[in-house]
Each structure stands twice: as C-alpha cells, then as structure tokens.
C-alpha cells in the first residue's frame, strides 16, 4: 500500500514539476498512469498534508520545494 502511494506521489509530482495543474487535469494525467480515482484522492491529500504540494488557489495544485526534493529522492 505504501509503495503504491509513493509510486502515485511520484507520478503526481512529475506532472506538477513544470507548471501548476487544475485538479481535473491532474486526475486525468494520473489516471492515464494506472492509478485509480481513490488512490489519486488519498495521495493528493497526503501530499498536501505533508507539504509536498500546495494549493495557491482553489482547484489548482503546484509542487513545493519540499516536493521537488522528495521527487528527486524517489
């Protein structure tokens, strides 16, 4: 379970590393990399709670410096 979360977190962070994305766009991109909607929701929540991703405005997500360091460690 934790390995799956790390895999999906890596996918989400890779999609965010260049530009912020809206929730729906990020969901579609992540689902195309074989995640389920439930796995995506729990992973994005985990990334937010741990400071790897932030929401500067409603519905938009962007990677943080902590997230960039975490991505490079993956």
């Amino acid at each position: 379970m934790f390995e799956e979360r790390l895999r999906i977190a890596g996918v989400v962070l890779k999609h965010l590393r260049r530009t912020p994305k809206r929730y729906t766009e990020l969901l579609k991109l992540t689902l195309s990399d074989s995640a389920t909607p439930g796995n995506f929701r729990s992973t994005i929540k985990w990334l937010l709670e741990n400071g790897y991703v932030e929401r500067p405005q409603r519905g938009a997500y962007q990677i943080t410096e902590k997230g960039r360091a975490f991505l490079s460690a993956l």
Side-chain angles (χ1 to χ4, degrees):
M1 178 75 175
F2 188 69
E3 293 84 18
E4 180 69 3
R5 175 166 286 166
L6 287 179
R7 185 186 72 76
I8 296 169
V11 170
V12 170
L13 293 173
K14 283 178 187 175
H15 288 305
L16 292 174
R17 74 178 157 202
R18 289 203 172 89
T19 60
K21 304 265 187 298
R22 307 267 319 147
Y23 181 88
T24 304
E25 179 184 8
L26 191 55
L27 173 63
K28 288 178 183 177
L29 290 169
T30 306
L31 291 178
S32 71
D33 288 320
S34 72
T36 66
N39 286 347
F40 172 78
R41 280 190 301 274
S42 66
T43 300
I44 198 78
K45 181 180 176 187
W46 182 80
L47 288 168
L48 282 165
E49 289 172 351
N50 288 285
Y52 300 120
V53 169
E54 62 187 7
R55 284 183 7 186
Q57 57 182 320
R58 183 180 166 109
Y61 295 83
Q62 69 183 30
I63 192 169
T64 63
E65 286 305 314
K66 184 178 177 182
R68 289 182 192 283
F70 183 63
L71 179 60
S72 68
L74 291 176

